[in-house]
Amino acid sequence: MEIPTTASFLDYYDKVRQRTERLLAVIPPDVMDWTFAPGKFTVADQIRHIAAIERNMFAETFAGRPSRYTGCGKELADGRDAVIDYFRRMHAETVAIIGSLTSGDLQRKSITPGNAAITTWKWMRSLTEHEIHHRAQLYMYLAMLEIKTPPIFGLTSEEVAAQGYTGDESPLR
């Protein structure tokens, strides 16, 4: 589906971000440096990566500039509060850049780091897909650590199943 205006995109992206924020709220400070295997992203790396890619790759290319993403290490932010602050600050900067784009800007081509030309509104959809992908990884990390996480859309699958739909009723009646 085409993104017709930056306002419509930002409204949708705000909802995606709210779900990510609810997940970040349950992450305890003592697991920020945890990873499931040596050399893999830590919990903090995942959060910094979402933020750094959002601002330094996506926002830059939306604005017609080359990516300036260089990684997601501790030099960007260390410790739970600093990482969450960095995450929010990069998002605010990205929202300001997106908010400055015109409907015409959405139709022009952005150049990805792989040197591919893609219509900007289509590239903007990739931003949300990227965040959702890494949010899912965070859900897995927290599950491995046995940390209770919030349901994405209000109910867990168990809560939906407990409502007892038998298949006999039409949900559209």
Side-chain angles (χ1 to χ4, degrees):
M1 183 169 104
E2 184 172 346
I3 297 168
T5 65
T6 57
S8 66
F9 174 77
L10 289 173
D11 180 60
Y12 168 70
Y13 193 39
D14 181 58
K15 291 173 179 70
V16 170
R17 182 49 59 107
Q18 287 175 30
R19 289 187 284 275
T20 303
E21 285 278 356
R22 283 194 297 273
L23 179 62
L24 298 184
V26 304
I27 299 174
D30 63 332
V31 304
M32 293 300 281
D33 291 327
W34 182 87
T35 185
F36 67 95
K40 299 298 182 183
F41 276 179
T42 65
V43 171
D45 289 337
Q46 291 278 4
I47 299 165
R48 286 188 297 257
H49 176 72
I50 294 169
I53 282 283
E54 174 190 35
R55 174 58 186 88
N56 297 319
M57 186 191 75
F58 282 107
E60 287 299 303
T61 56
F62 296 158
R65 300 183 292 262
S67 171
R68 57 184 189 143
Y69 177 78
T70 59
C72 57
K74 285 185 174 189
E75 70 279 359
L76 298 174
D78 192 20
R80 186 186 186 286
D81 291 344
V83 169
I84 300 298
D85 180 61
Y86 174 76
F87 179 80
R88 291 176 179 152
R89 196 171 67 248
M90 294 300 98
H91 182 66
E93 290 179 17
T94 299
V95 166
I97 289 169
I98 292 170
S100 74
L101 300 176
T102 66
S103 294
D105 291 332
L106 299 181
Q107 299 303 319
R108 70 169 165 67
K109 299 291 184 179
S110 287
I111 305 301
T112 70
N115 210 31
I118 183 171
T119 305
T120 298
W121 69 263
K122 291 179 182 177
W123 189 226
M124 289 168 69
R125 289 188 315 196
S126 298
L127 168 63
T128 59
E129 291 177 22
H130 179 264
E131 179 164 329
I132 293 164
H133 161 75
H134 286 287
R135 182 176 66 214
Q137 290 178 320
L138 284 166
Y139 267 99
M140 287 300 302
Y141 278 28
L142 296 177
M144 293 167 77
L145 292 166
E146 298 182 356
I147 296 170
K148 184 173 171 50
T149 56
I152 296 174
F153 298 112
L155 296 175
T156 65
S157 63
E158 296 82 7
E159 291 167 336
V160 172
Q163 291 181 358
Y165 178 68
T166 64
D168 297 333
E169 316 86 33
S170 171
L172 300 177
R173 278 194 247 170

